[in-house]
Amino acid sequence: MQKSKFINLIISLVSGLLFGAGMIVSGMVDPNKVIGFLNVTGNWDPSLAFVMGGALAVFTPIYHLFIKQRQYAINGEELTLAAKTKVDSSLITGAAIFGAGWGLAGFCPGPAITSISAGSHITLAFVVCMIVGIMIANRYLAGRFALPFIGYNKT
Amino acid sequence: MENFTPWMSLAGGALLGLSAALLMLFNGKTAGISGVLAGLITPKKNEVSWRIVFLIGMVLSFLLVAPFAVSLPDISGENIFIISLAGLLVGFGTRISNGCTSGHGIIGMGRFSKRSIYATLTFMFVAMVTVFLRGLLGGL
């Protein structure tokens, strides 16, 4: 393995470790806490607003000061950023479907992956179903079936 | 408000932001978890190993926080059918909208992306409505 590739993988590993640690420390891995945050009309626990606040407080300045003007990352590879800029119906529909699932379980992808190490069958069921959901979505994106309201994927 | 943990949540959030900045600045990649996972299901050349290593880091992160007496909660009491349905919705929805709480909520919002701001407002709102409706139905 080339040295540069090895360093890339170390950066990925460290990022993954920090990300998972952030998920655990912040309380995002606790579905009850997530539901407590989403339950704005009940016994509301605003803690998780601080997660997004803390994340944005660190990421936003680093992005705008050090990353935005770069075309290439420090390892010499091109920055792969989401290219789409248009707000379309599949963005909103997808986000709404995701929101329904997040509200039902109190689990989103990051905390679910982080929790795998606890070995619960609940986490495994969620992750397996999430992967199946991604596969079904890939078939929708390939134009194989229609969704309510927005129909077939045209792009 | 007895479970209010603003400092831990702020510190955890800062770690998420640091992780996303590190991965983007050094490797040029986006630390959006649904995207990292989806990229393994439809693998492309040179886009596999970093994703696997990143996910392994996430799974092993409990070792990093264990010395601080922070651990994963016990969730074995959750209803597996509801969790499975939720998993399907989360996988499908994040793939269609191209991001989740991390990709849209942190990285996209941090980049002031209009798409991510709309997506984040949408999934936050729908999730709150879902919790509200479930409360009305007596926690079904």
Side-chain angles (χ1 to χ4, degrees), chain A residues 5 8-9 11-26 29-31 33 35 37-41 43-47 50-52 54-56 58-60 62-64 66-67 70 73-75 77-82 84-88 90-92 94-105 107-110 113-115 117-118 120-123 125-126 129-138 140-141 145 147, chain B residues 1-6 8-31 33-34 37-38 41-42 46-47 49-50 53-62 64-65 70-73 75-80 82-102 104-107 109-112 114-116 118-120 122-124 126-128 130-132 134:
Chain A
K5 180 138 197 219
N8 287 353
L9 290 181
I11 297 283
S12 297
L13 182 69
V14 171
S15 300
L17 282 166
L18 290 175
F19 206 95
M23 286 290 170
I24 300 173
V25 171
S26 66
V29 287
D30 186 349
K33 199 161 179 64
I35 303 282
F37 168 69
L38 295 171
N39 189 12
V40 279
T41 58
N43 187 17
W44 190 44
D45 174 5
S47 306
F50 289 79
V51 182
M52 193 174 271
L56 288 174
V58 173
F59 180 78
T60 310
I62 297 180
Y63 176 78
H64 288 274
F66 302 111
I67 301 177
R70 305 179 72 99
I74 288 176
N75 72 355
E77 284 179 33
E78 238 173 307
L79 286 166
T80 44
L81 302 174
K84 284 191 199 170
T85 52
K86 201 167 146 263
V87 175
D88 52 22
S90 57
L91 176 81
I92 301 301
I97 293 170
F98 164 47
W102 191 35
L104 268 184
F107 246 174
C108 54
I113 301 282
T114 307
S115 302
S117 58
S120 164
H121 63 290
I122 297 287
T123 315
F126 184 88
C129 288
M130 184 167 74
I131 289 169
V132 172
I134 293 173
M135 289 168 152
I136 299 172
N138 283 336
Y140 164 76
L141 292 173
F145 64 89
L147 276 182
Chain B
M1 297 277 273
E2 66 272 22
N3 299 319
F4 188 47
T5 55
M8 289 293 272
S9 291
L10 198 65
L15 286 174
L16 299 177
L18 186 65
S19 160
L22 183 73
L23 191 68
M24 189 172 278
L25 182 60
F26 282 85
N27 286 8
K29 307 294 184 195
T30 301
I33 309 310
S34 60
L37 195 60
I41 292 163
T42 321
N46 296 329
E47 282 290 328
S49 54
W50 78 266
V53 169
F54 183 88
L55 294 177
I56 289 174
M58 285 180 74
V59 173
L60 294 181
S61 62
F62 74 100
L64 201 65
V65 296
V70 185
S71 58
L72 288 162
I75 55 160
S76 52
E78 304 277 334
N79 181 326
I80 194 161
I82 298 222
I83 288 282
S84 301
L85 171 65
L88 277 176
L89 294 173
V90 168
F92 187 83
T94 52
R95 182 74 193 97
I96 301 287
S97 68
N98 212 15
C100 59
T101 356
S102 48
H104 282 310
I106 300 173
I107 293 156
M109 295 260 284
R111 293 175 57 209
F112 306 145
K114 194 170 134 198
R115 270 174 63 87
S116 290
Y118 273 83
T120 306
T122 305
F123 67 66
M124 284 274 185
V126 175
M128 284 170 178
T130 305
V131 169
F132 175 72
R134 241 184 129 187

